[in-house]
Amino acid sequence: MTIQEAAQRSGLSAHTLRYYERIGLIHSVGRNGSGHRDYAEEDLRWLEFLTKLRTTGMPIADMCRYAELRRMGGHTADERRQMLELHRERVRSRIAELTQDLKVLDYKIDLYGGHA
């Protein structure tokens, strides 16, 4: 599929897709007969995972390291797992912070007792 189709399906802009390719988050995407990028379903699955990492706050540098390890093959699985476990702990910590923030908001809203 074209970069425009991949952008539409992934929810990322074509500019972001080219940037991700340039910094090594995605491998060099295949090219069609006319030299245009030709994304595959596997590329979209990878982009979906990258989007989850980004949404959960993983720094781009860590995402690049993860992508590099992935390209290196199965022998890097332990290091990739460790990276994800560390990131999971950061996400859990952030969720706990947000839960406390939400409690404060709920408390303040309750104080107003429906008065606008």
Side-chain angles (χ1 to χ4, degrees), residues 76-88:
T76 66
D78 285 341
E79 188 173 349
R80 285 182 278 152
R81 187 192 82 254
Q82 290 171 0
M83 287 184 74
L84 293 176
E85 288 173 348
L86 178 61
H87 182 62
R88 179 180 60 192

Side-chain angles (χ1 to χ4, degrees), residues 3-4 7 12-27 29 31 37 39 47:
I3 193 167
Q4 290 81 15
L12 300 168
S13 69
H15 173 77
T16 298
L17 294 177
R18 285 189 289 273
Y19 171 71
Y20 278 8
E21 188 176 351
R22 188 171 60 253
I23 66 171
L25 275 178
I26 55 179
H27 63 86
V29 176
R31 302 286 176 150
R37 287 173 176 84
Y39 288 83
L47 288 168

Side-chain angles (χ1 to χ4, degrees), residues 15-83:
H15 173 77
T16 298
L17 294 177
R18 285 189 289 273
Y19 171 71
Y20 278 8
E21 188 176 351
R22 188 171 60 253
I23 66 171
L25 275 178
I26 55 179
H27 63 86
S28 294
V29 176
R31 302 286 176 150
N32 64 20
S34 59
H36 294 98
R37 287 173 176 84
D38 188 17
Y39 288 83
E41 289 297 324
E42 180 181 334
D43 297 321
L44 290 180
R45 286 190 296 276
W46 176 241
L47 288 168
E48 181 180 3
F49 181 66
L50 290 175
T51 300
K52 298 295 184 207
L53 293 179
R54 193 74 191 122
T55 300
T56 58
M58 181 178 273
I60 292 283
D62 289 352
M63 291 169 61
C64 287
R65 176 67 181 148
Y66 186 92
E68 177 185 356
L69 290 169
R70 179 178 177 255
R71 280 190 295 276
M72 293 169 71
H75 70 280
T76 66
D78 285 341
E79 188 173 349
R80 285 182 278 152
R81 187 192 82 254
Q82 290 171 0
M83 287 184 74

Side-chain angles (χ1 to χ4, degrees), residues 68-113:
E68 177 185 356
L69 290 169
R70 179 178 177 255
R71 280 190 295 276
M72 293 169 71
H75 70 280
T76 66
D78 285 341
E79 188 173 349
R80 285 182 278 152
R81 187 192 82 254
Q82 290 171 0
M83 287 184 74
L84 293 176
E85 288 173 348
L86 178 61
H87 182 62
R88 179 180 60 192
E89 288 310 309
R90 290 190 302 254
V91 170
R92 284 182 174 161
S93 177
R94 183 68 182 131
I95 289 170
E97 290 172 11
L98 288 171
T99 299
Q100 289 304 311
D101 294 345
L102 183 59
K103 287 179 183 179
V104 170
L105 289 173
D106 288 342
Y107 171 78
K108 194 66 166 176
I109 291 167
D110 288 346
L111 281 180
Y112 288 112

